[in-house]
Amino acid sequence: MIGFEGSLWRVGHGREIELGRRSAIMAIINVTPDSFSDGGRFKTVDAAVEHALQAVSDGAAIVDIGGESTRPGAASVSPSEEQARVLPVIEALRGRTQALISIDTYRADTARLAVSAGAHIVNDVSGLQKESGIAELAAATGAGLCIMHTGRDRVKLADVIADQVHFLERSLAIAAAAGVNSDRIVLDPGFGFAKETAEENLELMARFSELSRFGLPLLAGTSRKRFLGAVTGRDAPDRDVATAATSVLLRLQGAAVFRVHNVAINRDALDVADAMLNARQEFERKRPT
C-alpha cells in the first residue's frame, strides 16, 4: 500500500509526529494583507492566533505561519516586515497549543528567529535552493523541514515527474551536505508553483505515487489553487470542496500531510479515506495467502 506504512517525522524542540494510519493536516495561517485566498483576514496577531487555535480545534496537527504571500506576482516584503508579522504569532501560540508550529519562509534569518521563538518546522517554498542556510539551521536545531519543488525562475524539464526528481534531488543533496537527517524531511511537489496549466497540475496529481521513489513522507498543497478553479469554475474562497476531493485522491496515492485553508472539511474527508485505508489494510492482513 503506497506510503501508508507508519513513520515518525522528527521536528524541532524534541517533538515528533507519527505519519501513517491517520493523515496529518497543516493549517494555512496567512499573516499577510495580500494572500490569494484570505489576504487581510488574519493580519493582526490576535486574529491570526485565534484562527490558528480554531484550526487546531478543527483537527489540524500543524499550523503553518506565513508572513509573505507566495502567489504569482505578489510583491516581496523585507525580512524585517516578514519577521514583525510572524514572530509575535509564533510566540503567542507557543504557550497556547500543543500543535506543531511551522514557519513558511525561504529566508534563513527568519527561519532562525522563528525556531528560536518556538517553531518546530521550516516550510521552504524554494526547496533550500534560495538560501541554503535553512538546511544548516535545521541540522543545528533539529527543526523539521518541508522541502518544496518549484519551477519558478528556471527552465523546467518537459516531463512533470522528471522535473520533480531533477529539482528535489538537488534539494536533498543540499540537506545532506548540511547534515540534516532524512527523518526530519517531508517533500512537497509544489502544486501551482510554476505549474501554469490545469493539465500540468492534474498530471502531477495523477502521477503523484511516483514520488514514493524518494522514500520520504509527502505533503499535498492543493488548497484553493487556480487549477481547481479551472476545473470547477469557482473563485478561490469557494474551492474547499474541490480541495477536499484532491486531498482524498492524493491520500490514496500516498500523501501523508495536507496543507489546507479549511481544516474541518478536509479533516472529515480524510477521516473517511483513512478509515477505508485502514479497513483495506486489515482485510489484506487477514486474507489467506
Side-chain angles (χ1 to χ4, degrees):
M1 191 175 300
I2 299 167
F4 194 57
E5 295 77 14
S7 62
L8 287 178
W9 183 16
R10 303 186 191 279
V11 299
H13 306 291
R15 297 286 301 279
E16 60 190 27
I17 180 172
E18 184 176 358
L19 302 177
R21 295 184 67 83
R22 192 175 196 227
S23 48
I25 290 183
M26 172 187 279
I28 299 168
I29 312 297
N30 290 320
V31 195
T32 61
D34 59 344
S35 291
F36 80 96
S37 174
D38 57 4
R41 291 185 61 197
F42 311 112
K43 66 181 180 179
T44 69
V45 173
D46 287 346
V49 168
E50 291 307 313
H51 178 47
L53 294 174
Q54 182 60 55
V56 173
S57 178
D58 288 340
I62 307 162
V63 290
D64 189 41
I65 315 300
E68 179 176 334
S69 174
T70 55
R71 64 177 172 80
S76 63
V77 301
S78 68
S80 60
E81 176 65 19
E82 179 189 37
Q83 292 154 21
R85 292 173 178 179
V86 300
L87 295 178
V89 177
I90 293 169
E91 290 165 354
L93 285 171
R94 179 178 59 185
R96 297 186 62 182
T97 180
Q98 286 299 301
L100 298 177
I101 301 170
S102 170
I103 175 65
D104 180 358
T105 188
Y106 57 84
R107 294 186 175 99
D109 195 45
T110 299
R112 177 183 59 80
L113 292 170
V115 171
S116 180
H120 306 90
I121 297 162
V122 180
N123 179 16
D124 182 3
V125 299
S126 77
L128 308 179
Q129 296 188 35
K130 185 166 285 189
E131 295 194 17
S132 61
I134 288 180
E136 295 161 5
L137 169 77
T141 64
L145 276 181
C146 290
I147 297 176
M148 197 194 79
H149 171 280
T150 181
R152 292 180 181 176
D153 301 320
R154 65 183 182 85
V155 177
K156 296 188 299 180
L157 301 181
D159 182 82
V160 65
I161 297 298
D163 194 68
Q164 291 278 327
V165 173
H166 172 75
F167 183 90
L168 291 173
E169 282 185 344
R170 181 182 178 196
S171 296
L172 290 170
I174 293 169
V180 180
N181 292 331
S182 61
D183 62 0
R184 305 279 170 180
I185 297 172
V186 163
L187 298 180
D188 175 357
F191 286 97
F193 278 76
K195 288 82 172 171
E196 302 297 347
T197 66
E199 290 75 16
E200 186 175 0
N201 286 279
L202 291 167
E203 181 180 351
L204 181 56
M205 277 189 62
R207 299 177 63 189
F208 188 87
S209 63
E210 295 179 44
L211 299 177
S212 64
R213 65 188 292 159
F214 289 105
L216 293 167
L218 299 172
L219 182 151
T222 60
S223 190
R224 299 180 181 174
K225 291 292 174 75
R226 183 172 55 185
F227 80 95
L228 297 179
V231 171
T232 65
R234 296 188 181 276
D235 293 332
D238 298 320
R239 297 172 189 163
D240 290 333
V241 172
T243 299
T246 65
S247 293
V248 169
L249 292 168
L250 292 167
R251 177 61 170 157
L252 299 182
Q253 292 204 69
V257 184
F258 299 82
R259 185 177 181 273
V260 302
H261 295 86
N262 187 321
V263 172
I265 193 171
N266 282 275
R267 183 71 274 164
D268 283 356
L270 286 165
D271 279 348
V272 175
D274 291 345
M276 187 280 289
L277 288 169
N278 280 291
R280 180 198 292 176
Q281 188 176 62
E282 184 66 12
F283 170 76
E284 292 175 350
R285 185 182 68 82
K286 292 179 177 179
R287 183 169 56 184
T289 57

